[in-house]
Amino acid sequence: MLRLGYTKPGSWASFWAILTLVGLATRAAQRADVGGESTGTSINHSQLLLQRLQELLRQGNASDVVLRVQAAGTDEVRVFHAHRLLLGLHSELFRELLSNQSEAVLQEPRDCAAVFDKFIRYLYCGELTVLLAQAIPLHRLATKYGVASLQRGVADYMRAHLAGGAGPAVGWYHYAVSTGDEALRQSCLQFLAWNLSAVAGSAEWGAVSPELLGQLLPRSDLVLQDELELFHALETWLGRARPPPAVAERALRAIRYPMIPPAQLFQLQARSAALARHGDAVADLLLQAYQFHAASPLHFAKFFDVNGSAFLPRNYLAPAWGAPWVINNPARDDRSTSFQTQLGPSGHDAGRRVTWNVLFSPRWLPVSLRPVYADAAGTALPAARPEDGRPRLVVTPASSGGDAAGVSFQKTVLVGARQHGRLLVRHAYSFHQSSEEAGDFLAHADLQRRNSEYLVENALHLHLIVKPVYHTLIRTPK
């Protein structure tokens, strides 16, 4: 809410006239310089200009407008002696507000009032220093007053700090929803999905809204130890949030019970407070999970559609589904490793393993870029440079019998860092179901740079995940 005080109107015409004359004089000087010399010398005093603009704001010299910023719900008022020309250059709202007023009282939330000096400083010199707690109030001010460049800059800052794990992703998600910032909302949602295991164990988990929970639970790219961890995280959330029964039951039905071994399912039914209250809502899903584990996948697939999400593993970090791989100095040479995964999530396949071989190459050259030593006339051609290549990761089964009847394998590679014993995912690459590698794997990574966002202490932290996918074979009428 804005309260305006009336004083003598100011004139915009003189300011725009000055700017027009300066522009004409500058262009005339440039034409004269070009006519007199074949080449010109650039003179750059922009830093001096920025310093003088900062002094103009700090000292209030020649100010023609006063802003009184009052923190909502308090008597605290901060006074800024400013210049309507500079405010109006950045903000159409300020231009209209101050067109015939020289004093304005601005009512702002407390957090916005606390950073208003930084906001005004940005309008004078185009730069500011942001702290995490200041991101939302600065973005809110930029949005309110229509300063698009600052709005974009703060949003970029928030997305960058999400990737580094420093930003409060849950709070920023809810803020993005309230302001309609879809790019920031999607960035927060992706971070939460890739790092749900870490977020569920933090204080942020209690601030998750039912709407956000509904966005997360159906996703297959959630990164967790296993499905049981997700169930326990959901049960913790239900205990804190106490949502209406319909919300709780909808959330419990999003758990993929076939991904939980039968022994753990029995324990959940016996001990879970959430299932004690809402067990009837998921009774059909629990029965289906027991049937899935009791029968062979081939037999089960004759009667049930196993192509649904309930039978698709998420990105599980447990040893049964993959393995971590830390590559030191990844720009140096090719590396290889191997690991084993469970053939499938069914109890029938619990004791069966598939061995996978992995090859990492930091500078693999596609055929089109491989060295060519001579053309048709026998003239030597320059060889391709190693830096023309790109990182490559190939995952193959150790034997041709890796694919069992009725099951194929999807592969995912997580790239990130370990912080406080947890994996913080920064990037995720998925393989096409019929491929042995991800075509875009680290396509834009610079592994030569020690401060690369893909490296942690000059090491590449990967987690390789193999997800078995069952296929419906013959449907028998029930």
Side-chain angles (χ1 to χ4, degrees), residues 273-289:
L275 291 183
R277 288 192 298 269
H278 308 287
D280 291 344
V282 297
D284 59 323
L285 300 181
L286 292 171
L287 174 60
Q288 187 182 61

Side-chain angles (χ1 to χ4, degrees), residues 192-361:
L192 290 168
W194 285 352
N195 297 280
L196 192 60
S197 186
V199 174
S202 71
E204 276 202 284
W205 186 241
V208 169
S209 66
E211 183 273 335
L212 174 53
L213 190 71
Q215 292 286 320
L216 289 170
L217 290 179
R219 296 178 65 123
S220 295
D221 62 342
L222 299 185
V223 176
L224 301 140
Q225 281 299 119
D226 50 31
E227 194 72 14
L228 186 62
E229 182 185 32
L230 181 59
F231 181 90
H232 288 317
L234 174 58
E235 189 167 41
T236 299
W237 183 87
L238 292 173
R240 293 175 181 173
R242 298 289 181 179
V247 173
E249 292 169 4
R250 186 163 54 248
L252 285 168
R253 289 190 67 83
I255 295 294
R256 301 183 180 182
Y257 297 99
M259 299 299 107
I260 302 176
Q264 295 176 348
L265 284 175
F266 279 123
Q267 290 182 357
L268 289 182
Q269 285 190 284
R271 302 175 183 175
S272 167
L275 291 183
R277 288 192 298 269
H278 308 287
D280 291 344
V282 297
D284 59 323
L285 300 181
L286 292 171
L287 174 60
Q288 187 182 61
Y290 286 125
Q291 292 171 323
F292 172 74
H293 288 295
S296 72
L298 288 175
H299 185 71
F300 185 84
K302 293 178 181 180
F303 299 91
F304 298 95
D305 184 1
V306 295
N307 292 326
S309 61
F311 302 98
L312 178 65
R314 307 185 202 257
N315 290 330
Y316 299 135
L317 302 176
W321 310 112
W325 190 19
V326 179
I327 303 175
N328 294 307
N329 299 313
R332 191 175 61 190
D333 49 30
D334 294 356
R335 314 291 174 85
S336 64
T337 189
S338 62
F339 63 98
Q340 287 188 329
T341 62
Q342 188 171 308
L343 176 63
S346 168
H348 190 272
D349 291 332
R352 305 172 67 185
R353 295 289 184 269
V354 179
T355 300
W356 301 92
N357 294 327
V358 189
L359 172 66
F360 170 79
S361 178

